[in-house]
Amino acid sequence: MIIEHIDTQLPGTVTDRHAFRGDQTIVVAKDSFLPLVDLLYREGFQLLVDITAVDWPEREQRFDVVYHWLNLASQERLRVKVPVADGEAMLSLTGRFKTADWFEREVFDMFGVRFEGHPNLKRLLTWDDFPGHPLRKDFPLDGGDAFCMEGCTAPYNNGERG
Amino acid sequence: MILDSIALSRQQLDGDKMIVNMGPSHPTTHGTLRIVLELEGETITKSTPEMGYLHRGVEKLGESLSYQQFIPLTDRLNYCSSIMNNVGYTTAVEKLLGIEIPKRAQQIRVLMSELARLADHAVCVGVNAVDIGAFTAFLYIWKQRETVYDLFEMATGQRLHTSFTRIGGLFRDLPEGFVPALEQFLPECEAAINELEKLLTHNPIWYDRTKGIGAISAEDAVNWGYTGPCLRAAGVPQDLRKAQPYLGYETYEFDVPVGTTGDVYDRYLVRVEEMRQSLRIIRQVLDRLEPGPVCVDDPKITLPSKEKVYTRMESLIHHFKLVMHGMEMPVGEVYSATEAANGELGFYLVSDGGKNPYRIRVRPPCLPIFSSFHDQVKGFMIADAVAVLGAMNVIAGELDR
Amino acid sequence: MSEMNFNDAVMTTRLDAVVNWGRKNSLWPMPFGVACCAIEFMSMMASKYDLSRFGAEAMRFSPRQSDMMLVLGTITNKMAPVLRTIYAQMAEPKWVISVGVCASSGGMYRTYSTLQGIDRVIPVDVYVPGCPPRPESMIYGVMKLQEKIEKESLSMRKDHIERFYESLDRQEALQAAKGLTGQQAIREMMFDAADRGVGTIF
């Protein structure tokens, strides 16, 4: 399948891989990302389903920018994760996939990850001078709102996890 | 003389464009979004869509709620067809857990999903018609939606935000009067769809207002990330119910309507035909609905029944653990997609083994479609912008989350 | 209405009573529909529940042509300045019904982006709880508003509307002075109000 193909054509690109509940995931470094995208496009992965990110604040490369692709011909899905550090800019896919435009703007808005080469990297869901990036783990749920319950950031279990 | 001066002044003013702001409070009932149009006369030269006016922070809120507590939030994503969001989310959590739900639960989920799809397309086509000026079509099809509301209320207790599914199955089984009421509804709905078609499909005004407007090629549609009726109208036969079946869809016989040009007229035709196919699927489900449990029989996932909770110790403890401590989740991540009314509704769940999800991502089907708005209306007139917006079926709850 | 009948041809009454009677029976709604409650509003306007029995058939999406604003759905912080502008554009007499729990108090969304109740930023007359409220509930809300209007007096000063316009001026001044967007200006005004122990910014 596609991961074997990637290993043959671009050896060393995949730094980590796992399959869980039928999903296949690969982790690649930022430098090898664009050649991988070109390969995927040629192999029929032409529907870029989603771009999002996950925040792992304990890690040095804090954010995992996650891409999901779908191959319409073979109905195969692939998840690609690219770790980036805080303050590091990721590469934009707007040249190749028009759908990347707003998805990348949302990742920028929610996490603060910048995308090099994006034509219009403005906030999408919050307003222009919103202070902070909401989906980061150190951003409180109520955003420091004046009228939320005093000191309570997670209304249903008092901020405790697990 | 006067004509010359008018012509001259138009040339001089050629650099001036009029800027019209549509929204975020606007008459078309597509939720709250904003489009800034630059017009030259009546023709649109540039348009900038803006969203986020209904961003409620659902993904962030999900990180502090348990998996079960997130279900009501999913209702309010695509609020025109709430059950499909419930089904999509609980399917994702069930994929993460690695469990399979009982046969009857799958069948009822299919039944309710198709009813919800019917209701959603009814809203989309009706409201699209209202925006263009055809009010009667809206009233005719809305009556069917009211009957669907009655059915939902019978089964789930709520008209709009049903929260019908639970992780491992359903909230409860279908009540006694549901199947007869549904059987009565099916021919009425078929008749209403025929009436709707009589009003619109060969209506020359409707045809003129929608044919050729907002056309998009198949390659462009795929590049823009389209899924759902808009992609099928553009000629790509992608339907997750056929391509990557779930909930037993591979056992039902139904067709997937595919258009050619992707314009507003094709999108309307695809939606109307999908409504008919939904009725077809519902009939098949009713034929083969078999008695059985509606929830997985695992006390670590499903709440035990009330009689057991009040009479047995282990059931009481299981109930307590499920409600207070949540479910035990494996560590891992899944992406699960279902064919919602607007397209591929995806849920990406990242679990670190805790009671709450580490990250919930909702992939909204109408976000890529709406982001292509400026491409779709360039060169068309301002009235066409309204028609295109209606055919995209942008639901702000899903778009902004 | 207090009256004396002169052979059923002439009725005497108080000016307040007849004006209020006219106003309450011809409330033209302005649906500020943003989310799910707007779908139930559509149901209410359709034939089954029919709000036009109450004189409210003429649904005007323009604030300049309506009396009653129905806020239908979650108002987010991004939407708050827009809501204030639209309310300011309505001509008096004007009333606001906050439909649904999201508009009344923020609903189930106690987050960074949701306004915890529109009464923080605009004056509200009637609150209709529900998620979404059934069309019958919304009709009951309109009826409650009608009861409220009946008791109004023409000489009654609407302090809250005056204070609202003052707060709008303060918001614009703040935006001009610090170069903020409407949303940030409202956020600062809310912090200010919370410091003073007041629940609203007007």
Side-chain angles (χ1 to χ4, degrees), chain B residues 190-302:
Chain B
E190 187 97 51
I193 298 176
N194 290 339
E195 266 183 40
L196 175 76
E197 284 229 86
K198 261 193 249 173
L199 280 174
L200 293 178
T201 306
H202 297 292
N203 186 329
I205 304 176
W206 179 259
Y207 192 81
D208 277 336
R209 284 296 302 268
T210 56
K211 190 75 189 151
I213 308 295
I216 189 167
S217 70
E219 297 81 44
D220 267 343
V222 171
N223 200 266
W224 271 112
Y226 277 35
T227 49
C230 292
L231 181 65
R232 292 194 278 278
V236 180
Q238 165 76 356
D239 186 331
L240 285 178
R241 297 174 292 169
K242 291 266 193 206
Q244 298 174 21
Y246 53 96
L247 290 180
Y249 267 111
E250 63 274 11
T251 58
Y252 299 108
E253 266 181 42
F254 63 99
D255 299 317
V256 171
V258 178
T260 44
T261 55
D263 58 13
V264 175
Y265 191 64
D266 272 0
R267 291 176 193 179
Y268 153 76
L269 287 176
V270 163
R271 289 205 167 93
V272 170
E273 188 54 38
E274 278 188 14
M275 284 165 77
R276 290 214 171 87
Q277 296 301 318
S278 288
L279 288 173
R280 196 171 157 195
I281 298 177
I282 294 174
R283 285 196 184 97
Q284 290 171 53
V285 174
L286 282 179
D287 278 339
R288 57 178 90 171
L289 201 59
E290 51 190 59
V294 290
C295 266
V296 155
D297 189 21
D298 185 347
K300 299 236 180 338
I301 296 173
T302 312

Side-chain angles (χ1 to χ4, degrees), chain A residues 110 123-131 134-135 139-149 153 155-156, chain C residues 77-78 107-114 116 120 179-181 183-184 187 190-191 193-194 198-201:
Chain A
M110 295 285 116
R123 284 181 180 270
L124 191 70
L125 294 170
T126 53
W127 55 94
D128 284 332
D129 46 359
F130 184 83
L135 276 173
F139 189 89
L141 177 62
D142 62 1
D145 190 86
F147 296 123
C148 251
M149 291 191 275
T153 54
Y156 299 99
Chain C
N77 288 328
K78 191 169 182 179
M108 60 170 68
Y109 299 102
R110 203 174 263 282
T111 63
Y112 56 90
S113 63
T114 307
Q116 303 292 305
R120 309 262 182 230
L180 301 170
T181 52
Q183 290 93 357
Q184 281 301 105
R187 207 177 150 85
M190 286 214 278
F191 278 119
V198 177
T200 64
I201 64 171

Side-chain angles (χ1 to χ4, degrees), chain B residues 51 53 55-56 153 158, chain C residues 76 78 111-113 131 134:
Chain B
M51 53 175 258
Y53 290 95
H55 175 63
R56 302 180 269 204
E153 200 179 1
Q158 240 271 28
Chain C
T76 57
K78 191 169 182 179
T111 63
Y112 56 90
S113 63
C131 192
R134 284 189 63 106

